[in-house]
Amino acid sequence: NVLAPFVLLHLIILYLALKYKSKLFLFGIAGFFGGVLFLVKESSIGFVLGSLVIMKLENVSKKDFKIFLGLFVLPIILYVSWGMYLSTEVFWKVLLFNSSRQFWGSLNFLTMLPSLRFKDFPFDGWWIFGFISLFYLGIRKTTFPIRWFIPAVIHFLVILLLGGQNYSWYYLALVPFLSLATATALYELFKFPYWPLLLSFFVIPLSSSLYWGRAISQFVPSILEYRLLF
């Protein structure tokens, strides 16, 4: 659960580094938290790669790149050094054992498409609609700077192509980005109505929320209400 807050903190600091003049210090802090992300979950390297892509698009200087990468490897070096100091043999055995998991690849995403497999995680259309919104923002011209979704997309590709065991927590860090994508897509929908997106919004998240909301409140789902809303 700590991965998502660290990802957001990493990207917020990177945003501030790109916006304000004190870039050198902030790029270093962003890189350091990128290294912490990698230690928390190795698959989060996708977020760091996405940050590098954003820095390239923003024409960041080579010096800033070096500071970012230098502070990125610092916590990793400290972690490995401390583990080897305690016991080199045990450290590498534990590290290799924890890294040796069954490969699922794209099947992982297919099994998680309806809902993340956590207790009480909502089984509704908002999770799927988040991916639809992300795709919509990628192909349509919007006012939102969609480059900030690049880290999430690369993280998703890393999970899809290189993911290990079929665990739900690989996708938890995507939840803030899918929520932001959904909110942005709905905002754009109010400004510039787009019928395919509007129809998918009604059929998937709105309809499922209407059904499950009534079911949880122990109300009988009303087909008349649904038809009138349509």
Side-chain angles (χ1 to χ4, degrees):
N1 293 339
V2 75
L3 184 59
F6 273 123
V7 169
L8 296 177
L9 181 61
H10 164 74
L11 292 177
I12 289 172
I13 296 173
L14 180 62
Y15 171 79
L16 295 175
L18 294 171
K19 183 177 181 180
Y20 296 109
K21 295 181 180 179
S22 55
K23 294 181 179 180
L24 198 61
F25 170 75
L26 290 175
F27 275 123
I29 299 299
F32 179 83
F33 276 103
V36 173
L37 285 178
F38 182 76
L39 292 179
V40 172
K41 181 64 68 177
E42 290 87 346
S43 60
S44 62
I45 189 65
F47 289 110
V48 180
L49 294 176
S51 297
L52 292 173
V53 172
I54 293 175
M55 292 169 63
K56 182 64 177 178
L57 294 175
E58 294 286 343
N59 297 317
V60 171
S61 68
K62 292 183 179 180
K63 185 178 181 180
D64 291 331
F65 265 107
K66 291 179 181 178
I67 293 295
F68 181 92
L69 293 174
L71 271 294
F72 166 75
V73 300
L74 178 61
I76 300 174
I77 293 174
L78 293 175
Y79 170 74
V80 174
S81 300
W82 177 248
M84 294 181 66
Y85 169 76
L86 294 176
S87 175
T88 301
E89 183 180 357
V90 173
F91 173 76
W92 289 113
K93 282 185 177 180
V94 171
L95 186 65
L96 292 174
F97 177 80
N98 290 335
S99 302
S100 303
R101 290 175 175 172
Q102 182 181 356
F103 177 72
W104 271 66
S106 59
L107 290 177
N108 191 325
F109 174 66
L110 293 177
T111 59
M112 300 296 171
L113 190 58
S115 173
L116 291 182
R117 294 186 175 184
F118 287 110
K119 183 180 179 181
D120 298 329
F121 192 91
F123 185 80
D124 60 22
W126 289 101
W127 172 252
I128 302 175
F129 190 72
F131 287 98
I132 296 175
S133 300
L134 193 59
F135 178 76
Y136 167 80
L137 295 175
I139 63 173
R140 299 275 295 186
K141 185 177 180 181
T142 65
T143 57
F144 187 85
I146 61 171
R147 64 181 56 184
W148 290 100
F149 288 115
I150 293 176
V153 173
I154 296 181
H155 174 72
F156 172 72
L157 292 176
V158 169
I159 297 173
L160 190 68
L161 302 176
L162 303 175
Q165 193 72 19
N166 193 26
Y167 293 134
S168 302
W169 55 67
Y170 285 112
Y171 294 94
L172 272 181
L174 291 176
V175 172
F177 296 91
L178 296 181
S179 300
L180 180 60
T182 299
T184 305
L186 293 179
Y187 173 75
E188 294 288 336
L189 188 61
F190 277 110
K191 291 178 59 179
F192 311 104
Y194 183 62
W195 284 106
L197 183 66
L198 181 60
L199 183 61
S200 63
F201 170 71
F202 179 84
V203 172
I204 303 175
L206 183 62
S207 298
S208 63
S209 294
L210 181 65
Y211 178 84
W212 289 112
R214 295 182 66 91
I216 291 175
S217 302
Q218 298 181 350
F219 293 127
V220 177
S222 170
I223 189 171
L224 178 61
E225 180 183 283
Y226 183 79
R227 288 173 176 171
L228 289 175
L229 186 62
F230 180 78

